[in-house]
Amino acid sequence: MSASEKEPDEYVKAIAESRLSIYEHIEVGDPELWIPSPELEIILDESLRGTSLVGLPLRTRSKVVKTKVCEALGYPVPASFKKTQPRFPGQFFDTYVQKSTNLQVWNEELSPIRRYVIIQVSDDDIITKVKVVTGDTLAVLDTTGTLTQKYQAGLITGEDSTELISAADTTNVLPLLTKENDFSAAEFSPIEAAVASAILPIDEVFNRLKPLVGQTFKDAGHDQERNRGAELHRLICEALGFKSYKDDGQFPDIRNQLIEVKLQTSPTIDLGLVRPDSTAPLDMIQIEGKQLRHCDVRYALFYAKTDGDLVTLTHFYLTTGEAFFTRFTQFQGKVLNKKLQTPLPRNFFGTKAE
C-alpha cells in the first residue's frame, strides 16, 4: 500500500499523457506527476538494466543514458540536452554513470532534496543496477570532510533515561494519525510511504520504543556505525509492530511512520544537509492534499554505550523535527566549496531489505 496506491507504470503513463518536457516544473509531491524516489528507482532500474554502453565515448554514453531515462519515464527525448542544474529539472534529479565506487560531483554543492540517480556499470560496460538517493543520503556516506554544509547538534543527557520532547505531532500530521492501537495487525512495510489514518501519534511511538532502553546488541565495531544503526533499526521495527525489518536507505528511515532513527555513541549528532526544522517538502506524494515536510518527521534518538562487544541503549529521545532544536543545540556547519568525492559502500547497489 502507498499514499497514492499507484503502480510505477501509472506514473509513466501520466507523464506521457501530460506531454511535459523534462525541463517543465512539477511540484514535489504532486499526486499525478511527481515520481517518489522508491518508484523512480524501480522504473529506471527495470528499464536501464542490461543496456550496453560498449565502445561508446564518454559524451555519447552520457547522451544515450539520458535518452534511455527519458524514454523510461514517458518524457519526449529533447533534440539536445540543456546544461541545467539538475539535468532533469522536472523530476529534480541528476544522473551519474558509475564504473568505479568513487562518486564525483563537480562544480556544485550537494542539494539535500535533489535526487541523484546513480547508475552502476560493469567492467564490460553493461548497466547492472540503478539506485536513487537524495543529497542528504549521500551526505551520510561522505567521509572526506568536503561537504559544503553539514549540520550537527549536541546531545546532553539529562536525569531521565527517556524524554518525549514533543507532546504532540505537527499540525500538518495531526489529521493523518490513526486512532487504532492494533497497528501490529496491519500489513505495512517500514519503507512504504505513509498513508492517512495509519500513522501512530508521537506519544504512542514513544510508549512503544521506550522499553528498548536497557536492551543490548552485538557491536559491529567502531568503524561500523551503519551496521550498528541497522541493528537498532531492526529493534525499532519490531517494537512498532512491523512484521519485518526493511531499510532502503531513503529518508526518513521508517517512511511508513515518518521516523528517522539516530544511534548516538557520542554527544555529536550528525544531521547531514537538512536542518530537522526545515519546511522543505519531503520526497513523498501528498496525503489527502497535504505535502509533508522535513519538520514533520519524528526523530528517534537513542544514546548508547559500548564495551567493544555489546552496545547498550541507555537513553531515548523522541521529537518532531519542528521542535528538534528546542532540546538539542545546533553547531555551526562547515562552509567549504570543493569537489565532492564520496566513496560508495561496497553494498551500495545491493539490497538491504530482509
PDB file of all heavy atoms in Angstrom, residues 161-162 209-217 228 231-233 235-236 261-265 301-306 310-316:
ATOM      1  N   SER A 161      16.036   8.814  31.628  1.00  0.00           N
ATOM      2  CA  SER A 161      16.570   7.971  30.555  1.00  0.00           C
ATOM      3  C   SER A 161      15.718   8.036  29.289  1.00  0.00           C
ATOM      4  O   SER A 161      16.170   7.633  28.219  1.00  0.00           O
ATOM      5  CB  SER A 161      16.682   6.519  31.029  1.00  0.00           C
ATOM      6  OG  SER A 161      15.403   6.014  31.388  1.00  0.00           O
ATOM      7  N   THR A 162      14.489   8.525  29.422  1.00  0.00           N
ATOM      8  CA  THR A 162      13.624   8.696  28.245  1.00  0.00           C
ATOM      9  C   THR A 162      12.976  10.073  28.296  1.00  0.00           C
ATOM     10  O   THR A 162      12.594  10.543  29.370  1.00  0.00           O
ATOM     11  CB  THR A 162      12.519   7.617  28.177  1.00  0.00           C
ATOM     12  OG1 THR A 162      11.662   7.730  29.312  1.00  0.00           O
ATOM     13  CG2 THR A 162      13.123   6.214  28.119  1.00  0.00           C
ATOM     14  N   LEU A 209       8.553   2.526  21.981  1.00  0.00           N
ATOM     15  CA  LEU A 209      10.005   2.460  21.828  1.00  0.00           C
ATOM     16  C   LEU A 209      10.781   2.600  23.135  1.00  0.00           C
ATOM     17  O   LEU A 209      11.915   2.131  23.227  1.00  0.00           O
ATOM     18  CB  LEU A 209      10.477   3.534  20.840  1.00  0.00           C
ATOM     19  CG  LEU A 209       9.969   3.409  19.398  1.00  0.00           C
ATOM     20  CD1 LEU A 209      10.670   4.424  18.509  1.00  0.00           C
ATOM     21  CD2 LEU A 209      10.178   1.999  18.853  1.00  0.00           C
ATOM     22  N   LYS A 210      10.188   3.220  24.152  1.00  0.00           N
ATOM     23  CA  LYS A 210      10.968   3.450  25.380  1.00  0.00           C
ATOM     24  C   LYS A 210      11.394   2.161  26.088  1.00  0.00           C
ATOM     25  O   LYS A 210      12.436   2.166  26.768  1.00  0.00           O
ATOM     26  CB  LYS A 210      10.230   4.394  26.335  1.00  0.00           C
ATOM     27  CG  LYS A 210       8.934   3.880  26.912  1.00  0.00           C
ATOM     28  CD  LYS A 210       8.308   4.963  27.809  1.00  0.00           C
ATOM     29  CE  LYS A 210       7.014   4.479  28.444  1.00  0.00           C
ATOM     30  NZ  LYS A 210       6.402   5.534  29.305  1.00  0.00           N
ATOM     31  N   PRO A 211      10.660   1.022  25.941  1.00  0.00           N
ATOM     32  CA  PRO A 211      11.162  -0.209  26.569  1.00  0.00           C
ATOM     33  C   PRO A 211      12.470  -0.715  25.956  1.00  0.00           C
ATOM     34  O   PRO A 211      13.098  -1.618  26.528  1.00  0.00           O
ATOM     35  CB  PRO A 211      10.021  -1.216  26.322  1.00  0.00           C
ATOM     36  CG  PRO A 211       8.796  -0.379  26.172  1.00  0.00           C
ATOM     37  CD  PRO A 211       9.275   0.839  25.438  1.00  0.00           C
ATOM     38  N   LEU A 212      12.900  -0.137  24.835  1.00  0.00           N
ATOM     39  CA  LEU A 212      14.162  -0.559  24.228  1.00  0.00           C
ATOM     40  C   LEU A 212      15.367  -0.111  25.058  1.00  0.00           C
ATOM     41  O   LEU A 212      16.455  -0.678  24.929  1.00  0.00           O
ATOM     42  CB  LEU A 212      14.290   0.000  22.803  1.00  0.00           C
ATOM     43  CG  LEU A 212      13.298  -0.535  21.765  1.00  0.00           C
ATOM     44  CD1 LEU A 212      13.557   0.102  20.403  1.00  0.00           C
ATOM     45  CD2 LEU A 212      13.398  -2.057  21.663  1.00  0.00           C
ATOM     46  N   VAL A 213      15.173   0.921  25.885  1.00  0.00           N
ATOM     47  CA  VAL A 213      16.268   1.368  26.755  1.00  0.00           C
ATOM     48  C   VAL A 213      16.654   0.226  27.687  1.00  0.00           C
ATOM     49  O   VAL A 213      15.803  -0.382  28.335  1.00  0.00           O
ATOM     50  CB  VAL A 213      15.861   2.625  27.556  1.00  0.00           C
ATOM     51  CG1 VAL A 213      16.920   2.960  28.599  1.00  0.00           C
ATOM     52  CG2 VAL A 213      15.660   3.800  26.617  1.00  0.00           C
ATOM     53  N   GLY A 214      17.936  -0.065  27.728  1.00  0.00           N
ATOM     54  CA  GLY A 214      18.435  -1.191  28.520  1.00  0.00           C
ATOM     55  C   GLY A 214      18.747  -2.410  27.693  1.00  0.00           C
ATOM     56  O   GLY A 214      19.485  -3.304  28.135  1.00  0.00           O
ATOM     57  N   GLN A 215      18.213  -2.472  26.464  1.00  0.00           N
ATOM     58  CA  GLN A 215      18.491  -3.611  25.603  1.00  0.00           C
ATOM     59  C   GLN A 215      19.895  -3.515  25.020  1.00  0.00           C
ATOM     60  O   GLN A 215      20.480  -2.434  24.909  1.00  0.00           O
ATOM     61  CB  GLN A 215      17.455  -3.711  24.481  1.00  0.00           C
ATOM     62  CG  GLN A 215      16.070  -4.091  24.977  1.00  0.00           C
ATOM     63  CD  GLN A 215      15.200  -4.656  23.871  1.00  0.00           C
ATOM     64  OE1 GLN A 215      15.686  -5.241  22.899  1.00  0.00           O
ATOM     65  NE2 GLN A 215      13.889  -4.463  23.996  1.00  0.00           N
ATOM     66  N   THR A 216      20.429  -4.652  24.620  1.00  0.00           N
ATOM     67  CA  THR A 216      21.773  -4.715  24.056  1.00  0.00           C
ATOM     68  C   THR A 216      21.746  -5.441  22.711  1.00  0.00           C
ATOM     69  O   THR A 216      20.833  -6.213  22.425  1.00  0.00           O
ATOM     70  CB  THR A 216      22.739  -5.462  24.996  1.00  0.00           C
ATOM     71  OG1 THR A 216      22.278  -6.811  25.158  1.00  0.00           O
ATOM     72  CG2 THR A 216      22.812  -4.787  26.348  1.00  0.00           C
ATOM     73  N   PHE A 217      22.775  -5.175  21.912  1.00  0.00           N
ATOM     74  CA  PHE A 217      23.000  -5.942  20.690  1.00  0.00           C
ATOM     75  C   PHE A 217      24.494  -5.945  20.401  1.00  0.00           C
ATOM     76  O   PHE A 217      25.251  -5.128  20.924  1.00  0.00           O
ATOM     77  CB  PHE A 217      22.197  -5.388  19.506  1.00  0.00           C
ATOM     78  CG  PHE A 217      22.385  -3.921  19.231  1.00  0.00           C
ATOM     79  CD1 PHE A 217      23.429  -3.463  18.434  1.00  0.00           C
ATOM     80  CD2 PHE A 217      21.497  -2.984  19.755  1.00  0.00           C
ATOM     81  CE1 PHE A 217      23.593  -2.118  18.174  1.00  0.00           C
ATOM     82  CE2 PHE A 217      21.652  -1.632  19.498  1.00  0.00           C
ATOM     83  CZ  PHE A 217      22.706  -1.196  18.699  1.00  0.00           C
ATOM     84  N   ARG A 228      25.764  -0.828  13.068  1.00  0.00           N
ATOM     85  CA  ARG A 228      25.181  -0.625  14.401  1.00  0.00           C
ATOM     86  C   ARG A 228      23.779  -0.054  14.268  1.00  0.00           C
ATOM     87  O   ARG A 228      22.838  -0.498  14.928  1.00  0.00           O
ATOM     88  CB  ARG A 228      26.042   0.340  15.196  1.00  0.00           C
ATOM     89  CG  ARG A 228      27.309  -0.202  15.797  1.00  0.00           C
ATOM     90  CD  ARG A 228      28.041   0.955  16.467  1.00  0.00           C
ATOM     91  NE  ARG A 228      29.244   0.559  17.173  1.00  0.00           N
ATOM     92  CZ  ARG A 228      30.104   1.432  17.670  1.00  0.00           C
ATOM     93  NH1 ARG A 228      29.880   2.732  17.543  1.00  0.00           N
ATOM     94  NH2 ARG A 228      31.179   1.024  18.295  1.00  0.00           N
ATOM     95  N   GLU A 231      21.103  -2.542  13.323  1.00  0.00           N
ATOM     96  CA  GLU A 231      20.613  -3.389  14.410  1.00  0.00           C
ATOM     97  C   GLU A 231      19.563  -2.657  15.237  1.00  0.00           C
ATOM     98  O   GLU A 231      18.539  -3.233  15.631  1.00  0.00           O
ATOM     99  CB  GLU A 231      21.780  -3.838  15.298  1.00  0.00           C
ATOM    100  CG  GLU A 231      22.679  -4.859  14.646  1.00  0.00           C
ATOM    101  CD  GLU A 231      21.908  -6.099  14.214  1.00  0.00           C
ATOM    102  OE1 GLU A 231      21.112  -6.630  15.026  1.00  0.00           O
ATOM    103  OE2 GLU A 231      22.086  -6.533  13.064  1.00  0.00           O
ATOM    104  N   LEU A 232      19.805  -1.374  15.506  1.00  0.00           N
ATOM    105  CA  LEU A 232      18.809  -0.582  16.234  1.00  0.00           C
ATOM    106  C   LEU A 232      17.541  -0.443  15.411  1.00  0.00           C
ATOM    107  O   LEU A 232      16.420  -0.565  15.938  1.00  0.00           O
ATOM    108  CB  LEU A 232      19.378   0.797  16.566  1.00  0.00           C
ATOM    109  CG  LEU A 232      18.385   1.788  17.200  1.00  0.00           C
ATOM    110  CD1 LEU A 232      17.824   1.237  18.504  1.00  0.00           C
ATOM    111  CD2 LEU A 232      19.048   3.140  17.414  1.00  0.00           C
ATOM    112  N   HIS A 233      17.702  -0.189  14.121  1.00  0.00           N
ATOM    113  CA  HIS A 233      16.556  -0.049  13.209  1.00  0.00           C
ATOM    114  C   HIS A 233      15.697  -1.310  13.259  1.00  0.00           C
ATOM    115  O   HIS A 233      14.457  -1.250  13.287  1.00  0.00           O
ATOM    116  CB  HIS A 233      17.101   0.189  11.797  1.00  0.00           C
ATOM    117  CG  HIS A 233      16.090   0.673  10.825  1.00  0.00           C
ATOM    118  ND1 HIS A 233      16.434   1.248   9.626  1.00  0.00           N
ATOM    119  CD2 HIS A 233      14.741   0.658  10.830  1.00  0.00           C
ATOM    120  CE1 HIS A 233      15.354   1.570   8.958  1.00  0.00           C
ATOM    121  NE2 HIS A 233      14.310   1.221   9.663  1.00  0.00           N
ATOM    122  N   LEU A 235      15.401  -3.453  15.770  1.00  0.00           N
ATOM    123  CA  LEU A 235      14.687  -3.495  17.047  1.00  0.00           C
ATOM    124  C   LEU A 235      13.487  -2.550  17.042  1.00  0.00           C
ATOM    125  O   LEU A 235      12.420  -2.876  17.576  1.00  0.00           O
ATOM    126  CB  LEU A 235      15.635  -3.112  18.184  1.00  0.00           C
ATOM    127  CG  LEU A 235      16.742  -4.103  18.552  1.00  0.00           C
ATOM    128  CD1 LEU A 235      17.680  -3.487  19.597  1.00  0.00           C
ATOM    129  CD2 LEU A 235      16.146  -5.409  19.071  1.00  0.00           C
ATOM    130  N   ILE A 236      13.658  -1.373  16.438  1.00  0.00           N
ATOM    131  CA  ILE A 236      12.579  -0.386  16.393  1.00  0.00           C
ATOM    132  C   ILE A 236      11.420  -0.893  15.552  1.00  0.00           C
ATOM    133  O   ILE A 236      10.246  -0.760  15.942  1.00  0.00           O
ATOM    134  CB  ILE A 236      13.108   0.958  15.863  1.00  0.00           C
ATOM    135  CG1 ILE A 236      14.021   1.604  16.902  1.00  0.00           C
ATOM    136  CG2 ILE A 236      11.967   1.899  15.501  1.00  0.00           C
ATOM    137  CD1 ILE A 236      14.720   2.865  16.427  1.00  0.00           C
ATOM    138  N   VAL A 261      15.802   7.498  12.452  1.00  0.00           N
ATOM    139  CA  VAL A 261      16.462   6.841  13.578  1.00  0.00           C
ATOM    140  C   VAL A 261      17.899   7.344  13.710  1.00  0.00           C
ATOM    141  O   VAL A 261      18.642   7.414  12.719  1.00  0.00           O
ATOM    142  CB  VAL A 261      16.468   5.310  13.390  1.00  0.00           C
ATOM    143  CG1 VAL A 261      17.217   4.631  14.531  1.00  0.00           C
ATOM    144  CG2 VAL A 261      15.035   4.783  13.292  1.00  0.00           C
ATOM    145  N   LYS A 262      18.308   7.699  14.919  1.00  0.00           N
ATOM    146  CA  LYS A 262      19.677   8.118  15.190  1.00  0.00           C
ATOM    147  C   LYS A 262      20.228   7.310  16.372  1.00  0.00           C
ATOM    148  O   LYS A 262      19.634   7.295  17.449  1.00  0.00           O
ATOM    149  CB  LYS A 262      19.734   9.608  15.554  1.00  0.00           C
ATOM    150  CG  LYS A 262      19.340  10.555  14.425  1.00  0.00           C
ATOM    151  CD  LYS A 262      20.404  10.623  13.356  1.00  0.00           C
ATOM    152  CE  LYS A 262      20.061  11.662  12.299  1.00  0.00           C
ATOM    153  NZ  LYS A 262      21.079  11.666  11.208  1.00  0.00           N
ATOM    154  N   LEU A 263      21.354   6.646  16.144  1.00  0.00           N
ATOM    155  CA  LEU A 263      22.047   5.947  17.219  1.00  0.00           C
ATOM    156  C   LEU A 263      23.283   6.751  17.590  1.00  0.00           C
ATOM    157  O   LEU A 263      24.140   7.011  16.742  1.00  0.00           O
ATOM    158  CB  LEU A 263      22.457   4.544  16.774  1.00  0.00           C
ATOM    159  CG  LEU A 263      23.322   3.753  17.758  1.00  0.00           C
ATOM    160  CD1 LEU A 263      22.594   3.536  19.087  1.00  0.00           C
ATOM    161  CD2 LEU A 263      23.759   2.420  17.157  1.00  0.00           C
ATOM    162  N   GLN A 264      23.374   7.159  18.843  1.00  0.00           N
ATOM    163  CA  GLN A 264      24.455   8.019  19.303  1.00  0.00           C
ATOM    164  C   GLN A 264      25.346   7.302  20.314  1.00  0.00           C
ATOM    165  O   GLN A 264      24.873   6.875  21.370  1.00  0.00           O
ATOM    166  CB  GLN A 264      23.875   9.283  19.960  1.00  0.00           C
ATOM    167  CG  GLN A 264      23.061  10.168  19.041  1.00  0.00           C
ATOM    168  CD  GLN A 264      23.872  10.747  17.914  1.00  0.00           C
ATOM    169  OE1 GLN A 264      23.449  10.742  16.767  1.00  0.00           O
ATOM    170  NE2 GLN A 264      25.070  11.256  18.218  1.00  0.00           N
ATOM    171  N   THR A 265      26.629   7.171  19.979  1.00  0.00           N
ATOM    172  CA  THR A 265      27.594   6.707  20.960  1.00  0.00           C
ATOM    173  C   THR A 265      28.521   7.852  21.346  1.00  0.00           C
ATOM    174  O   THR A 265      29.456   7.674  22.123  1.00  0.00           O
ATOM    175  CB  THR A 265      28.423   5.528  20.414  1.00  0.00           C
ATOM    176  OG1 THR A 265      28.993   5.903  19.148  1.00  0.00           O
ATOM    177  CG2 THR A 265      27.545   4.301  20.230  1.00  0.00           C
ATOM    178  N   LEU A 301      16.043   9.354  18.764  1.00  0.00           N
ATOM    179  CA  LEU A 301      17.463   9.332  19.099  1.00  0.00           C
ATOM    180  C   LEU A 301      17.710   8.408  20.286  1.00  0.00           C
ATOM    181  O   LEU A 301      17.091   8.571  21.345  1.00  0.00           O
ATOM    182  CB  LEU A 301      17.971  10.735  19.438  1.00  0.00           C
ATOM    183  CG  LEU A 301      18.151  11.719  18.286  1.00  0.00           C
ATOM    184  CD1 LEU A 301      16.841  12.419  17.969  1.00  0.00           C
ATOM    185  CD2 LEU A 301      19.215  12.746  18.641  1.00  0.00           C
ATOM    186  N   PHE A 302      18.603   7.453  20.080  1.00  0.00           N
ATOM    187  CA  PHE A 302      18.998   6.553  21.157  1.00  0.00           C
ATOM    188  C   PHE A 302      20.469   6.780  21.472  1.00  0.00           C
ATOM    189  O   PHE A 302      21.321   6.714  20.581  1.00  0.00           O
ATOM    190  CB  PHE A 302      18.782   5.092  20.759  1.00  0.00           C
ATOM    191  CG  PHE A 302      17.354   4.641  20.839  1.00  0.00           C
ATOM    192  CD1 PHE A 302      16.487   4.868  19.779  1.00  0.00           C
ATOM    193  CD2 PHE A 302      16.870   4.010  21.975  1.00  0.00           C
ATOM    194  CE1 PHE A 302      15.165   4.461  19.840  1.00  0.00           C
ATOM    195  CE2 PHE A 302      15.545   3.602  22.036  1.00  0.00           C
ATOM    196  CZ  PHE A 302      14.688   3.822  20.974  1.00  0.00           C
ATOM    197  N   TYR A 303      20.747   7.077  22.738  1.00  0.00           N
ATOM    198  CA  TYR A 303      22.137   7.187  23.182  1.00  0.00           C
ATOM    199  C   TYR A 303      22.553   5.823  23.713  1.00  0.00           C
ATOM    200  O   TYR A 303      21.754   5.117  24.347  1.00  0.00           O
ATOM    201  CB  TYR A 303      22.270   8.248  24.271  1.00  0.00           C
ATOM    202  CG  TYR A 303      23.689   8.688  24.502  1.00  0.00           C
ATOM    203  CD1 TYR A 303      24.288   9.629  23.666  1.00  0.00           C
ATOM    204  CD2 TYR A 303      24.442   8.159  25.545  1.00  0.00           C
ATOM    205  CE1 TYR A 303      25.598  10.031  23.868  1.00  0.00           C
ATOM    206  CE2 TYR A 303      25.750   8.553  25.762  1.00  0.00           C
ATOM    207  CZ  TYR A 303      26.324   9.491  24.911  1.00  0.00           C
ATOM    208  OH  TYR A 303      27.628   9.880  25.105  1.00  0.00           O
ATOM    209  N   ALA A 304      23.804   5.440  23.419  1.00  0.00           N
ATOM    210  CA  ALA A 304      24.249   4.103  23.795  1.00  0.00           C
ATOM    211  C   ALA A 304      25.692   4.116  24.263  1.00  0.00           C
ATOM    212  O   ALA A 304      26.471   5.012  23.932  1.00  0.00           O
ATOM    213  CB  ALA A 304      24.097   3.160  22.602  1.00  0.00           C
ATOM    214  N   LYS A 305      26.047   3.096  25.021  1.00  0.00           N
ATOM    215  CA  LYS A 305      27.422   2.857  25.430  1.00  0.00           C
ATOM    216  C   LYS A 305      27.846   1.492  24.905  1.00  0.00           C
ATOM    217  O   LYS A 305      27.020   0.598  24.729  1.00  0.00           O
ATOM    218  CB  LYS A 305      27.539   2.904  26.952  1.00  0.00           C
ATOM    219  CG  LYS A 305      27.283   4.276  27.561  1.00  0.00           C
ATOM    220  CD  LYS A 305      27.472   4.272  29.070  1.00  0.00           C
ATOM    221  CE  LYS A 305      27.242   5.669  29.649  1.00  0.00           C
ATOM    222  NZ  LYS A 305      27.409   5.685  31.126  1.00  0.00           N
ATOM    223  N   THR A 306      29.132   1.350  24.629  1.00  0.00           N
ATOM    224  CA  THR A 306      29.638   0.069  24.147  1.00  0.00           C
ATOM    225  C   THR A 306      30.917  -0.302  24.886  1.00  0.00           C
ATOM    226  O   THR A 306      31.735   0.569  25.229  1.00  0.00           O
ATOM    227  CB  THR A 306      29.897   0.116  22.630  1.00  0.00           C
ATOM    228  OG1 THR A 306      30.436  -1.152  22.211  1.00  0.00           O
ATOM    229  CG2 THR A 306      30.854   1.238  22.250  1.00  0.00           C
ATOM    230  N   LEU A 310      29.359  -5.451  23.228  1.00  0.00           N
ATOM    231  CA  LEU A 310      27.925  -5.214  23.199  1.00  0.00           C
ATOM    232  C   LEU A 310      27.621  -3.716  23.259  1.00  0.00           C
ATOM    233  O   LEU A 310      28.295  -2.964  23.974  1.00  0.00           O
ATOM    234  CB  LEU A 310      27.230  -5.906  24.380  1.00  0.00           C
ATOM    235  CG  LEU A 310      27.166  -7.432  24.369  1.00  0.00           C
ATOM    236  CD1 LEU A 310      26.514  -7.928  25.652  1.00  0.00           C
ATOM    237  CD2 LEU A 310      26.400  -7.950  23.144  1.00  0.00           C
ATOM    238  N   VAL A 311      26.593  -3.310  22.512  1.00  0.00           N
ATOM    239  CA  VAL A 311      26.072  -1.949  22.575  1.00  0.00           C
ATOM    240  C   VAL A 311      24.865  -1.965  23.501  1.00  0.00           C
ATOM    241  O   VAL A 311      23.959  -2.784  23.327  1.00  0.00           O
ATOM    242  CB  VAL A 311      25.650  -1.443  21.182  1.00  0.00           C
ATOM    243  CG1 VAL A 311      25.008  -0.060  21.278  1.00  0.00           C
ATOM    244  CG2 VAL A 311      26.851  -1.405  20.241  1.00  0.00           C
ATOM    245  N   THR A 312      24.850  -1.068  24.485  1.00  0.00           N
ATOM    246  CA  THR A 312      23.733  -0.981  25.428  1.00  0.00           C
ATOM    247  C   THR A 312      23.023   0.350  25.252  1.00  0.00           C
ATOM    248  O   THR A 312      23.652   1.409  25.342  1.00  0.00           O
ATOM    249  CB  THR A 312      24.219  -1.111  26.884  1.00  0.00           C
ATOM    250  OG1 THR A 312      24.925  -2.339  27.043  1.00  0.00           O
ATOM    251  CG2 THR A 312      23.043  -1.066  27.847  1.00  0.00           C
ATOM    252  N   LEU A 313      21.729   0.312  25.000  1.00  0.00           N
ATOM    253  CA  LEU A 313      20.937   1.527  24.847  1.00  0.00           C
ATOM    254  C   LEU A 313      20.650   2.106  26.225  1.00  0.00           C
ATOM    255  O   LEU A 313      20.062   1.432  27.084  1.00  0.00           O
ATOM    256  CB  LEU A 313      19.630   1.221  24.112  1.00  0.00           C
ATOM    257  CG  LEU A 313      19.780   0.577  22.717  1.00  0.00           C
ATOM    258  CD1 LEU A 313      18.411   0.240  22.139  1.00  0.00           C
ATOM    259  CD2 LEU A 313      20.546   1.496  21.773  1.00  0.00           C
ATOM    260  N   THR A 314      21.060   3.359  26.444  1.00  0.00           N
ATOM    261  CA  THR A 314      20.937   3.954  27.781  1.00  0.00           C
ATOM    262  C   THR A 314      19.909   5.081  27.856  1.00  0.00           C
ATOM    263  O   THR A 314      19.368   5.341  28.929  1.00  0.00           O
ATOM    264  CB  THR A 314      22.292   4.498  28.248  1.00  0.00           C
ATOM    265  OG1 THR A 314      22.729   5.532  27.344  1.00  0.00           O
ATOM    266  CG2 THR A 314      23.336   3.389  28.307  1.00  0.00           C
ATOM    267  N   HIS A 315      19.663   5.789  26.758  1.00  0.00           N
ATOM    268  CA  HIS A 315      18.729   6.911  26.755  1.00  0.00           C
ATOM    269  C   HIS A 315      17.946   6.931  25.438  1.00  0.00           C
ATOM    270  O   HIS A 315      18.456   6.497  24.398  1.00  0.00           O
ATOM    271  CB  HIS A 315      19.465   8.253  26.900  1.00  0.00           C
ATOM    272  CG  HIS A 315      20.138   8.436  28.208  1.00  0.00           C
ATOM    273  ND1 HIS A 315      21.338   7.816  28.517  1.00  0.00           N
ATOM    274  CD2 HIS A 315      19.807   9.191  29.311  1.00  0.00           C
ATOM    275  CE1 HIS A 315      21.711   8.156  29.737  1.00  0.00           C
ATOM    276  NE2 HIS A 315      20.806   8.987  30.235  1.00  0.00           N
ATOM    277  N   PHE A 316      16.740   7.451  25.504  1.00  0.00           N
ATOM    278  CA  PHE A 316      15.882   7.557  24.314  1.00  0.00           C
ATOM    279  C   PHE A 316      15.189   8.909  24.312  1.00  0.00           C
ATOM    280  O   PHE A 316      14.634   9.340  25.322  1.00  0.00           O
ATOM    281  CB  PHE A 316      14.849   6.426  24.318  1.00  0.00           C
ATOM    282  CG  PHE A 316      13.717   6.609  23.328  1.00  0.00           C
ATOM    283  CD1 PHE A 316      13.964   6.899  21.991  1.00  0.00           C
ATOM    284  CD2 PHE A 316      12.399   6.482  23.744  1.00  0.00           C
ATOM    285  CE1 PHE A 316      12.931   7.078  21.089  1.00  0.00           C
ATOM    286  CE2 PHE A 316      11.353   6.646  22.852  1.00  0.00           C
ATOM    287  CZ  PHE A 316      11.625   6.946  21.516  1.00  0.00           C
TER     288      PHE A 316
END
